[in-house]
Amino acid sequence: MKRQKRNPNDRALHKGYVAAVQGRDHDSCPYQSGSLHQEWVNGWRQGREDIWSGFGPAAQAQRMESM
């Protein structure tokens, strides 16, 4: 069964969230500029907020599933 390609903006948001949850720095963004960079940063911020709010790994995994 073929998988549909995901929207690049959604993918960048998800990758940013995962980077934050893994403890990577804001400067590790693979995108230099543009909308993909902004979406990655937004995902990174959401991930950091979840960590600071005390969400555990189970809640983080559930959030990643919904992205």
Side-chain angles (χ1 to χ4, degrees):
M1 186 162 155
K2 292 184 180 180
R3 290 179 17 180
Q4 279 187 325
K5 289 191 176 187
R6 293 177 56 188
N7 181 350
N9 288 331
D10 292 341
R11 184 176 166 94
L13 181 80
H14 182 265
K15 294 285 186 180
Y17 185 87
V18 170
V21 169
Q22 292 176 346
R24 293 190 1 222
D25 192 17
H26 179 270
D27 296 330
S28 66
C29 178
Y31 307 105
Q32 299 300 320
S33 63
S35 65
L36 293 177
H37 174 76
Q38 187 59 46
E39 287 298 321
W40 190 93
V41 170
N42 290 341
W44 186 86
R45 286 182 183 145
Q46 286 179 1
R48 295 305 295 172
E49 287 176 10
D50 286 354
I51 290 171
W52 294 332
S53 297
F55 288 130
Q60 293 168 354
Q62 185 177 9
R63 178 105 182 226
M64 282 190 272
E65 290 277 330
S66 68
M67 290 182 140

